[in-house]
Amino acid sequence: MRYWFPFPFLSLGLLTFWVLISQSTSPGTLLLGGILSVALAWAMVNLSPHKTVPGRVRPVFRLVGAVAVDIVRSNIAVLKVMLGRRGKPATAGFLQIELTLTDENAIAVLACILTATPGTAWLEFDRTSRRLTLHILDTADGMDWQHIIKTRYERPLAEIFQ
Amino acid sequence: MTVLDLPLWAALPVCILLLLGAGNALAGAIGLLRLKSFYARLHAPSLMTSGATILICLASMITFAVLQNRWIFHELAIIAFMMITTPVTLMMLGQAALYRDRAEGSKEVPHKEAGLREEAAVEE
């Protein structure tokens, strides 16, 4: 059983996704979706992903709320920089943060969050020194990015995944 | 082609969201032209992948929710996949730029071994 279905939840999720996308429950759809979901779960075995079980639910809502607010805010902030006067250059700069997160999936979620909020670009994460290098588009807008990332993103992520 | 009978109260927010989303994408394209350094230009396309995508998908959601001929699941899937997949491209571009600048010995980019040396000194 474990051999045929190495990642049962992934297979089930893929099948559900397939049915929802094609919006039909005809035998053909189910058969093709079933074959695909099992085959793709086998492909995942070779990638040997790090399995994580999310622990608590409440920090998820807090994180999603914070990210939604930050996406809107950072979009507006970056729009101002892009369309601002040519004479006033944005003071872009690099930022290095020591991450305390150890779970690889949590770090992947953090990468998605930082990319989804314009104004912060993920450049590099060094596994041995656990140092994350970011590029900040506008460092002069008075926002303490280190504080924002540490408290708004990293703490809820640590609560969810560890 | 079928003509969509969208009531006015739904058409207005849909139009506003579409225009805002398209404007966001346009601003990203303008930023790509105007910004000076490569690292700053990395931020321009993320305006399209976050703001513009979400706004246009919201407009699409409202349209098809009001017309009631399709689930809004597709738009949610689009937003989720954009969020999951864009970091891969941007990280590769960013790392390639960092690697090139370090190989050239640029003083402006943060040095890679700096962190390791500091930690080694602390351990000693």
Side-chain angles (χ1 to χ4, degrees), chain A residues 10-93:
Chain A
L10 178 70
S11 296
L12 205 64
L14 280 173
L15 183 60
T16 318
F17 184 73
W18 183 261
V19 169
L20 282 172
I21 279 288
S22 49
Q23 293 188 74
S24 77
T25 46
S26 67
T29 315
L30 287 176
L31 183 69
L32 192 54
I35 293 170
L36 270 177
S37 58
V38 173
L40 287 173
W42 279 351
M44 276 297 278
V45 175
N46 290 332
L47 296 175
S48 61
H50 175 72
K51 282 192 189 182
T52 322
V53 183
R56 288 193 280 161
V57 180
R58 192 172 296 180
V60 175
F61 293 108
R62 200 148 47 90
L63 182 67
V64 169
V67 170
V69 170
D70 286 354
I71 285 179
V72 174
R73 207 174 52 187
S74 63
N75 263 288
I76 294 168
V78 172
L79 270 177
K80 279 183 189 161
V81 173
M82 300 270 163
L83 302 176
R85 278 179 293 115
R86 196 175 274 267
K88 172 186 156 268
T91 47

Side-chain angles (χ1 to χ4, degrees), chain B residues 1-20:
Chain B
M1 189 184 155
T2 53
V3 178
L4 301 177
D5 289 325
L6 202 61
L8 184 68
W9 59 266
L12 277 176
V14 166
C15 285
I16 292 169
L17 284 171
L18 270 181
L19 283 174
L20 281 178

